[in-house]
Amino acid sequence: MSGSLQRKIHVGCKQLGLDNEARRTLQLVETGKESLKDMDEGDMLKVLARLKRDGFTDAKPKAKRHPKAKRADLRLIHVLWSKLGEAGALKDPSRTGLNKFIRTRFEANWGSVPADVDMLADSIQIDDVVQALKAWASRVEADFDFMEHRK
């Protein structure tokens, strides 16, 4: 635990723009100890609390979210991919995995594929992807309850 607290203290100091000398001074003021090596967990928690009072936030940044696809048929592709992921049928259930699947499965037939699934515009191509995902789901006996995705 103390290793992770030390890392958080260093991250906090960096975030607040404190150099090593300023960090050691802060530690001395808060705990009476200049070095992290001399501190126990309670001392480190005091230093961390001070950093947080000074504006340090140790929350992880939120993951970048893509906007909801504008077309219902594209949203269906995302739902099918998600259900395949929940069924354990995918190595990479992320959006990147979906784009890779489309590229691998359809590039030879289509000649080229867009960089992202939501850039698909041809309804025939979109239907090709939907049908391929439905067939895959059928093979792995994935359970599809589409009513829960109607939001």
Side-chain angles (χ1 to χ4, degrees):
M1 175 86 161
S2 65
S4 66
L5 287 174
Q6 287 179 2
R7 284 188 291 280
K8 279 187 179 183
I9 289 169
H10 284 288
V11 168
C13 290
K14 183 174 181 177
Q15 190 181 96
L16 296 174
L18 303 177
D19 61 13
N20 280 337
E21 185 178 330
R23 176 182 55 84
R24 288 179 182 276
T25 302
L26 180 137
Q27 291 169 180
L28 186 61
V29 167
E30 291 300 313
T31 67
K33 300 172 185 167
E34 192 174 295
S35 174
L36 286 170
K37 292 179 184 175
D38 298 334
M39 294 183 197
D40 60 18
E41 189 173 312
D43 293 330
M44 288 185 214
L45 288 171
K46 287 179 187 177
V47 173
L48 198 55
R50 169 64 187 270
L51 291 171
K52 287 181 179 182
R53 283 194 311 269
D54 290 347
F56 168 54
T57 57
D58 62 348
K60 294 180 181 174
K62 292 183 180 180
K64 180 181 171 189
R65 295 203 37 109
H66 291 275
K68 194 174 185 180
K70 294 192 185 326
R71 294 178 55 156
D73 48 4
L74 291 174
R75 289 192 301 273
L76 176 59
I77 290 173
H78 289 284
V79 170
L80 292 170
W81 188 256
S82 174
K83 286 295 188 178
L84 282 166
E86 290 169 10
L90 304 175
K91 290 179 184 174
D92 183 1
S94 70
R95 183 184 196 96
T96 303
L98 173 57
N99 288 323
K100 186 175 180 181
F101 163 75
I102 292 170
R103 198 173 314 109
T104 302
R105 176 77 162 69
F106 298 105
E107 191 167 34
N109 295 345
W110 297 347
S112 68
V113 294
D116 185 75
V117 61
D118 289 343
M119 296 170 72
L120 282 170
D122 184 327
S123 58
I124 294 171
Q125 291 178 339
I126 293 170
D127 188 58
D128 286 348
V129 175
V130 168
Q131 295 309 316
L133 293 174
K134 283 183 177 180
W136 189 356
S138 177
R139 287 191 303 274
V140 299
E141 299 177 359
D143 180 34
F144 286 169
D145 181 8
F146 290 105
M147 295 310 289
E148 70 184 59
H149 290 284
R150 296 183 130 198
K151 294 178 184 173

